Amino acid sequence: PLDRATALIDLFTIAEKINNTGSTSPGVPRLGLPPYQWWSEALHGVASSPGVNFSSSGKYSYATSFPQPILLGAAFDDALITAVATVVSTEARAFNNANRTGLDFWTPNINPWRDPRWGRGQETPGEDPYHLSSYVHALIDGLQGGYDPKYKRVVATCKHFAGYDMETWNGNFRYQWDAHISSQDLVEYYLPPFQSCARDSN
């Protein structure tokens, strides 16, 4: 698969490579590569998002909605988190098998939350980096079907960037705000959950 993917990408022009890096990728029609929507959400269940197509009634008109991560995290039960994530990924696979979503889900949100001004704290499991690291490890286990499966159920995409807990506020916008974080805070507080995601869970 790696050789095939590399050979395909080698055929892209620079413009085609750039155009396919966004959440709405146009594909490369001249190579038979169809468009793809990367933005599918599954923070606490398969959710309405640009990459998920719910039907208006009947099959695929709903998915299980679990409590928000702040409440799931309060359970301090990694086995429960893995079980919930297994249900989410099973439903996501069913949606994918029916051509209603891709397999890349933007979840979990693992930004530590200690400042209520952020306003998105319910999307995270809490403020403790050790607990978040444990939570993300258990969640990815359930979402992907283990830490090194032959075939992943879905691809868990941890979000957002470290130090990304600022929304639009007082003239500052999250895409242009320059967070000044000390090295100690970065290493001890902001990065451990991302290390658990990128290194320990994949």
Side-chain angles (χ1 to χ4, degrees), residues 87-144:
V87 171
V88 172
S89 63
T90 301
E91 290 184 354
R93 265 293 176 169
F95 271 73
N96 176 264
N97 290 344
N99 245 358
R100 295 190 163 272
T101 188
L103 291 174
D104 188 302
F105 284 84
W106 293 3
T107 190
N109 180 343
I110 55 173
N111 296 107
W113 180 48
R114 64 178 171 190
D115 188 340
R117 291 174 295 177
W118 181 27
R120 294 175 69 176
Q122 77 281 358
E123 294 182 24
T124 75
E127 66 178 347
D128 179 74
Y130 177 80
H131 174 53
L132 263 77
S133 298
S134 178
Y135 178 97
V136 71
H137 197 61
L139 193 77
I140 289 175
D141 180 23
L143 287 172
Q144 297 189 162

Side-chain angles (χ1 to χ4, degrees), residues 108-118 124-133 136 158-166 177-198:
N109 180 343
I110 55 173
N111 296 107
W113 180 48
R114 64 178 171 190
D115 188 340
R117 291 174 295 177
W118 181 27
T124 75
E127 66 178 347
D128 179 74
Y130 177 80
H131 174 53
L132 263 77
S133 298
V136 71
C158 295
K159 61 181 186 179
H160 299 92
F161 298 110
Y164 180 82
D165 44 358
M166 170 69 101
W177 184 64
D178 185 14
H180 295 279
I181 301 170
S182 72
S183 294
Q184 182 174 356
D185 270 351
L186 194 61
V187 169
E188 293 178 0
Y189 187 71
Y190 290 102
L191 291 181
F194 289 91
Q195 178 177 299
S196 177
C197 172

Side-chain angles (χ1 to χ4, degrees), residues 57-75:
S57 64
K59 290 182 181 180
Y60 307 105
S61 62
Y62 61 90
T64 306
S65 182
F66 292 96
Q68 288 272 9
I70 193 70
L71 186 56
L72 287 171

